[in-house]
């Protein structure tokens, strides 16, 4: 679809991010099937939370001096990783960001529970068995879905 419409379909950087995320999922599933074929795989755990935390620490350390060159970034990230390792050993030193206590509401004015925004393995109800996943079948199903939904792209798929 991106080849057909280019940046009118997606911004190029967004397309590249999505492409890399999908590739990462395929590699992680394949690696999981090789290491533990009867194991489980939680797609929701592939997020960038650790990376976001690392950059949050970096922003805390550097303050308003946000512009860096490659050498400065490497030096600062080294320090950030050291801070992250210290906080892993001493979690009581890590104060999480405070959030406003404003509950989300629906159009009808009903409160939405906070669990809606925080999916974790305990709240996941689908089957996560690696033995049931065949990456090629998943790929072909996605390709078929695109062909059915956007038939003018058939020559491009």
């Amino acid at each position: 679809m991106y080849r057909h419409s280019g940046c009118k379909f997606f911004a190029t950087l967004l397309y590249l991010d999505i492409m890399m995320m999908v590739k990462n999922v395929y590699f992680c599933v394949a690696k999981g099937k090789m290491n533990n074929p009867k194991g489980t795989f939680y797609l929701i755990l592939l997020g960038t939370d650790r990376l976001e935390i690392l950059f949050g620490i970096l922003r805390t350390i550097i303050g308003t001096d946000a512009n860096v060159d490659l050498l400065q970034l490497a030096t600062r990230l080294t320090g950030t990783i050291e801070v992250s390792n210290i906080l892993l050993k001493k979690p009581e030193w890590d104060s999480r960001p405070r959030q406003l206590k404003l509950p989300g509401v629906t159009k009808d004015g009903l409160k939405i529970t906070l669990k809606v925004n925080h999916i974790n393995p305990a709240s996941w109800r689908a089957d996560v068995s690696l033995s049931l996943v065949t990456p090629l079948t998943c790929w072909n199903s996605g390709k078929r879905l695109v062909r059915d939904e956007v038939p003018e792209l058939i020559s491009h798929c």
Side-chain angles (χ1 to χ4, degrees):
M1 289 171 35
Y2 183 81
R3 281 188 216 153
H4 181 262
S5 301
C7 61
K8 292 179 203 165
F9 176 67
F10 270 153
T12 303
L13 291 176
L14 176 60
Y15 173 72
L16 291 173
D17 283 346
I18 292 170
M19 191 170 64
M20 290 172 65
M21 285 177 10
V22 169
K23 178 193 69 116
N24 186 39
V25 169
Y26 274 88
F27 276 114
C28 289
V29 167
K31 189 167 76 171
K33 286 180 74 73
M34 292 292 292
N35 292 336
N36 187 6
K38 294 186 188 219
T40 57
F41 179 79
Y42 288 91
L43 180 65
I44 57 175
L45 294 179
L46 285 183
T48 58
D49 291 347
R50 293 302 310 160
L51 189 60
E52 288 175 19
I53 290 169
L54 194 65
F55 278 104
I57 294 170
L58 176 65
R59 292 289 302 191
T60 302
I61 291 172
I62 64 173
T64 58
D65 185 19
N67 297 325
V68 296
D69 61 26
L70 199 54
L71 178 61
Q72 289 172 321
L73 181 63
T75 304
R76 290 175 179 174
L77 281 177
T78 302
T80 303
I81 291 169
E82 289 176 20
V83 170
S84 182
N85 287 334
I86 291 169
L87 293 176
L88 283 174
K89 291 176 185 172
K90 299 279 192 179
E92 66 273 10
W93 293 357
D94 188 12
S95 61
R96 294 281 169 211
R98 288 170 281 157
Q99 296 178 349
L100 292 174
K101 302 295 183 205
L102 299 174
V105 293
T106 64
K107 286 192 279 186
D108 302 327
L110 302 172
K111 286 185 182 178
I112 300 173
T113 66
L114 292 177
K115 288 185 175 184
V116 171
N117 196 22
H118 299 284
I119 299 172
N120 59 40
S123 63
W124 196 254
R125 298 289 176 243
D127 192 341
V128 292
S129 303
L130 282 170
S131 61
L132 302 175
V133 179
T134 307
L136 183 59
T137 302
C138 294
W139 182 263
N140 288 335
S141 295
K143 198 172 178 181
R144 195 174 318 109
L145 179 65
V146 169
R147 285 181 174 162
D148 292 347
E149 293 293 322
V150 194
E152 62 269 18
L153 297 180
I154 290 176
S155 63
H156 296 282
C157 290

